[in-house]
Amino acid sequence: MNNIEIGHGSGGKLTRDLISSLFLKYLSSSELHSMEDAATINIHSGKTAFTTDSYVIRPLFFPGGDIGKLSVCGTVNDLAVSGAIPEYLSLSFIIEEGFSLNHMEEIVKSIAEEADRSALKIVTGDTKVVERGKCDGIYINTAGIGTIVRTFTVNDVSSGDVVIVTGTIGDHGTAVALARNEFDIETKVESDCASLDSLLTPVFDINGVKWMRDPTRGGAATVLVELSEETNLGIRIVEENIPVREDVQFIADMLGYDPLYLANEGKAIIIASEEAAGSVLEKLHTHPLGEYAVIIGEISSDFQGLRLKTKIGGERPLDMLEEDQLPRIC
Amino acid sequence: MNKTQDIIKAIHSLVPPDRNLKIMNVCGSHEHTISFSGMRSLMPENLELIPGPGCPVCVCPESDIIHAIQLSKKEEVVLVTYGDMVRVPSKKGSIRTDGINFRIITSPSEAIRIAESEPDRTIVFFSIGFETTTAPTAAILETGIPDNLFILSSHRLTPTIMEVLVKDREIGIDGFVCPGHVSAIVGSNAWNVFSEKYNIPTVVAGFEADNLLLGIMEILLQVKEGEFRTTNVYSGVVRPEGNEQARKLLDKYFKVSDVNWRGIGHIPASGLELREAFSDRDARKLFKLEEIREEKIPGCICGNVVLGKAYPADCRLFKKSCSPKSPQGPCMVSGEGSCNIWYKTYK
């Protein structure tokens, strides 16, 4: 038996075998091992962040990660940019009948490794199996709970604030596009898929940090367009300052993508006061994930919407795209 | 001050204060650079940069698209064409939505490979575009194509359409930025007619913003001096005589013909069809294709956009019912189409 069978999702013996031989082998929390219908967890009395996400990425394995690692990073990052320390994670699998158990094991291993990195406890989960052709290999749903240590709100964003990005943009989108093997291109581009809590938590302490977001689907431009809409403020970003790997830019040009709209899975956009910017960058630069952190723009009350100052000094508006450049990117 | 800023400064100082100028680009890639670099925001107010007929799929007549769809429905046929072409709408749908046996290719040599791997089927290569794409089609004809491969030629000539534009006083073109890729084939000399016969400052430019700005500056210099010439600021790629071998092949396999342009109408001597000697390769002859009357798309002003008489944003469908996901007119389809470019770069 090397593949997932319908019985693995039935709740009977095969399900129990899968839990004990695979999930409990790699996932170590006592809450999970108690095998109750619901995990009992302690939440401190302060504010709590609670998030959920689903992962349907194609392909399941890509340079720099896989759907398992991605599902942990994505959830951790949603908590981290909300000013929370990630603590608990739930994990639900929807698996296609016939899915390789070896692949399943690789995915669960990735999940365990990534959760350990953030000292995140996986406390509850579920497995369902659907017939062949009814899902594309495996889908993962998560929920995450974290303790809020700093509250960020768009209401604090004001004219004169700066826009910081923690590193190069478009890596994930490019790596996944290439991993689909639809283009005959060989490169070393890897997904930036990473948990950002250890990068961002130290920044929580800096006064003048106002808002954060991880620019996943839709990329950096989409996040900033949303921010400008929520604040009714203008955002001007400077093309020359936006960090894009040379190979990512080359591939994007070739395939007609714009890195500003390509997904990232290990980057954050931080809005901070001009005075705080130096300290924020200093902290970010001490972390490997923040080595290339840089100011890419500023908030202005002189106009509304997102604008790009181009390399020749021209200006043009950036809008949301009608649809994702690449569907099923996370 | 860097070089780019110096050129922009020069452009401002050269523009005559007392008149409005229109400089037309005739290449989708030029319009792409202009729009994506925000170049218009840097120009003096009385200098307009207008996009012209630079997008190959935008001018392909509806009749040919309908023929392509119908051919793809024949059991024995496989229609092959370029990616953008399959998405261009017609009153009978697009090749993608209504075609059956069709494949996307990126070069004519792929058409040969498909024909060789499927010898029992009739492969029809819907070959469209300006001189840039005609040359590779002529090249496969020269090297020899399989017996089951036929050409549905819908090629158009850039200099001819430009001459139509010049004669249309409503547009009023004060300068041409001629397409770099087409010029590489036809040569910068092909545009001399505009500077010599029509007194229009003319430049051949490449696709980097700096090079385009240089071209614009050169046009303004000519305006100021009142002396008109065709200047090549893309001389690393374009020679005065162009690619002589490619031109010879074009002439060997294709003859100039009277054809329709989408949204524009019938223009004498503006297209290319296979010469009689190669009519056994001509899909039009094989399938006895007759011209189908074009129907106007309600509200769509693509024809005027191609002619430089209107900007994409002037269209009432723009960013409403017409978008890259559901294009109503041909200019919204391709990354070289003005409406598609403006969709992404203008609010």
Side-chain angles (χ1 to χ4, degrees):
Chain A
M1 180 194 71
N2 293 315
N3 295 321
I4 292 284
E5 298 173 22
I6 288 286
H8 282 118
S10 66
K13 186 176 178 308
L14 277 177
T15 307
R16 185 148 284 249
D17 286 351
L18 186 70
I19 291 172
S20 54
S21 68
L22 191 60
F23 298 140
L24 297 183
K25 181 175 166 191
Y26 292 103
L27 309 173
S28 57
S29 82
S30 55
E31 290 86 349
L32 199 65
H33 280 253
S34 72
M35 305 270 276
E36 298 294 342
D37 270 4
T40 306
I41 54 172
N42 289 316
I43 298 181
H44 75 116
S45 55
K47 278 189 179 172
T48 301
F50 180 30
T51 185
T52 182
D53 214 338
S54 297
Y55 299 87
V56 297
I57 190 166
R58 179 175 67 85
L60 301 172
F61 299 88
F62 48 87
D66 57 49
I67 191 171
K69 181 183 179 188
L70 183 70
S71 65
V72 177
C73 296
T75 314
V76 164
N77 294 347
D78 283 347
L79 293 170
V81 295
S82 308
I85 312 276
E87 290 188 66
Y88 300 108
L89 188 77
S90 78
L91 207 52
S92 287
F93 298 100
I94 294 169
I95 315 172
E96 184 182 3
E97 176 189 12
F99 188 66
S100 149
L101 267 170
N102 290 338
H103 283 163
M104 191 68 212
E105 184 162 7
E106 274 185 66
I107 290 167
V108 175
K109 258 161 93 173
S110 291
I111 289 171
E113 274 172 28
E114 198 55 35
D116 284 348
R117 206 164 282 153
S118 302
L120 184 68
K121 283 175 147 183
I122 294 165
V123 292
T124 185
D126 182 49
T127 306
K128 295 284 190 310
V129 178
V130 295
E131 300 92 327
R132 264 175 217 277
K134 301 291 182 192
C135 117
D136 192 1
I138 184 168
Y139 301 146
I140 300 178
N141 171 270
T142 63
I145 291 176
T147 305
I148 293 215
V149 292
R150 175 79 192 267
T151 308
F152 297 122
T153 153
V154 289
N155 298 331
D156 291 339
V157 175
S158 58
S159 182
D161 288 348
V162 298
V163 181
I164 294 169
V165 64
T166 59
T168 54
I169 59 162
D171 300 5
H172 177 74
T174 308
V176 172
L178 295 179
R180 287 181 187 170
N181 289 326
E182 286 159 10
F183 315 105
D184 199 9
I185 306 170
E186 273 189 36
T187 72
K188 293 190 175 118
V189 181
E190 285 198 352
S191 165
D192 56 350
C193 181
S195 296
L196 293 172
D197 51 332
S198 60
L199 173 74
L200 297 179
T201 312
V203 177
F204 293 170
D205 301 334
I206 302 170
N207 274 330
V209 173
K210 301 189 170 180
W211 186 80
M212 292 183 189
R213 186 64 66 83
D214 54 333
T216 54
R217 271 180 303 178
T222 303
V223 161
L224 291 172
V225 171
E226 278 171 358
L227 178 64
S228 74
E229 281 174 1
E230 283 169 38
T231 57
N232 284 321
L233 289 167
I235 304 173
R236 181 182 285 107
I237 54 174
V238 180
E239 190 174 25
E240 222 161 25
N241 299 346
I242 299 166
V244 182
R245 282 173 58 120
E246 224 172 272
D247 44 10
V248 167
Q249 186 66 57
F250 178 77
I251 293 159
D253 286 346
M254 205 159 65
L255 303 179
Y257 300 140
D258 183 343
L260 275 168
Y261 292 94
L262 284 174
N264 310 276
E265 288 296 341
K267 298 291 154 36
I269 283 176
I270 301 172
I271 309 296
S273 68
E274 205 186 343
E275 300 75 43
S279 322
V280 173
L281 286 175
E282 208 176 299
K283 280 247 162 93
L284 293 173
H285 288 159
T286 60
H287 194 290
L289 291 174
E291 196 183 344
Y292 299 109
V294 68
I295 295 173
I296 59 164
E298 58 175 12
I299 310 288
S300 167
S301 54
D302 296 343
F303 61 95
Q304 289 189 340
L306 176 64
R307 289 187 188 172
L308 178 75
K309 189 173 180 211
T310 67
K311 284 176 182 155
I312 61 165
E315 220 171 80
R316 65 175 168 95
L318 291 168
D319 209 348
M320 278 191 210
L321 289 190
E322 195 182 12
E323 58 183 342
D324 267 351
Q325 294 185 127
L326 290 160
R328 288 184 57 193
I329 198 75
C330 60
Chain B
M1 193 66 97
N2 64 28
K3 195 177 127 231
T4 310
Q5 298 311 318
D6 288 343
I7 300 172
I8 293 166
K9 226 172 134 187
I11 287 172
H12 277 261
S13 69
L14 285 167
V15 164
D18 53 343
R19 59 181 281 214
N20 293 322
L21 292 178
K22 280 185 188 173
I23 295 178
M24 178 182 270
N25 71 75
V26 200
C27 171
S29 301
H30 280 159
E31 181 53 29
H32 190 275
T33 302
I34 289 169
S35 293
F36 277 83
S37 69
M39 198 177 286
R40 288 191 176 90
S41 71
L42 296 167
M43 292 296 114
E45 257 181 36
N46 57 337
L47 174 60
E48 274 187 81
L49 304 180
I50 55 174
C55 159
V57 305
C58 301
V59 298
C60 181
E62 188 184 44
S63 176
D64 287 352
I65 297 170
I66 295 170
H67 285 317
I69 294 169
Q70 287 169 348
L71 288 178
S72 79
K73 288 179 176 169
K74 290 183 185 284
E75 211 177 310
E76 74 279 14
V77 170
V78 178
L79 182 98
V80 301
T81 191
Y82 301 115
D84 283 338
M85 201 60 234
V86 304
R87 296 186 295 123
V88 181
S90 76
K91 63 173 173 275
K92 300 281 183 196
S94 68
I95 296 171
R96 186 170 69 170
T97 57
D98 290 72
I100 295 178
N101 305 316
F102 68 89
R103 310 249 175 91
I104 291 170
I105 56 170
T106 53
S107 75
S109 55
E110 281 179 59
I112 294 186
R113 275 207 294 279
I114 292 170
E116 283 171 346
S117 64
E118 301 190 45
D120 297 334
R121 299 183 86 174
T122 301
I123 313 301
V124 176
F125 173 28
F126 184 19
S127 184
I128 63 110
F130 300 111
E131 292 81 350
T132 348
T133 49
T134 323
T137 300
I140 60 163
L141 287 163
E142 177 71 5
T143 51
I145 60 174
D147 290 344
N148 60 331
L149 177 58
F150 297 84
I151 312 288
L152 176 58
S153 169
S154 190
H155 288 289
R156 296 292 176 270
L157 295 168
T158 316
T160 318
I161 187 72
M162 284 166 63
E163 214 163 341
V164 170
L165 300 176
V166 169
K167 289 175 183 164
D168 191 330
R169 294 195 179 272
E170 193 194 323
I171 310 169
I173 296 164
D174 300 293
F176 270 127
V177 179
C178 299
H181 292 142
V182 173
S183 302
I185 305 282
V186 300
S188 56
N189 287 343
W191 318 111
N192 288 345
V193 56
F194 300 108
S195 49
E196 288 169 8
K197 185 173 165 192
Y198 298 104
N199 286 339
I200 292 179
T202 303
V203 299
V204 175
F207 304 100
E208 296 292 331
D210 283 348
N211 198 249
L212 263 170
L213 285 166
L214 196 66
I216 292 166
M217 187 183 80
E218 165 63 22
I219 286 172
L220 296 173
L221 263 172
Q222 293 185 33
V223 170
K224 188 176 178 171
E225 292 165 359
E227 283 176 24
F228 309 109
R229 55 190 174 264
T230 298
T231 306
N232 180 8
V233 298
Y234 195 38
S235 54
V237 173
V238 174
R239 285 179 294 164
E241 68 283 3
N243 181 335
E244 280 178 281
Q245 201 193 346
R247 280 171 45 208
K248 268 187 203 150
L249 286 182
L250 286 188
D251 190 52
K252 179 174 173 187
Y253 291 98
F254 292 95
K255 69 170 182 189
V256 174
S257 60
D258 304 343
V259 291
N260 283 326
W261 292 60
R262 187 158 194 186
I264 298 171
H266 192 73
I267 301 176
S270 66
L272 291 173
E273 64 178 87
L274 283 174
R275 287 193 182 277
E276 281 300 322
F278 310 101
S279 61
D280 60 333
R281 306 280 90 202
D282 193 339
R284 275 180 214 280
K285 302 256 160 62
L286 179 69
F287 294 101
K288 299 185 175 62
L289 303 179
E290 299 286 339
E291 191 78 25
I292 302 165
R293 228 180 92 104
E294 181 176 321
E295 267 177 39
K296 241 184 108 45
I297 304 161
C300 173
I301 60 164
C302 275
N304 279 341
V305 170
V306 167
L307 291 171
K309 291 183 179 179
Y311 287 116
D314 297 333
C315 181
R316 63 182 168 88
L317 309 182
F318 182 71
K319 284 207 168 188
K320 294 190 175 76
S321 62
C322 188
S323 67
K325 200 177 157 198
S326 52
Q328 303 295 310
C331 299
M332 188 57 92
V333 173
S334 152
E336 289 186 289
S338 296
C339 297
N340 181 291
I341 295 169
W342 278 52
Y343 187 92
K344 297 164 186 160
T345 51
Y346 293 86
K347 274 240 167 173

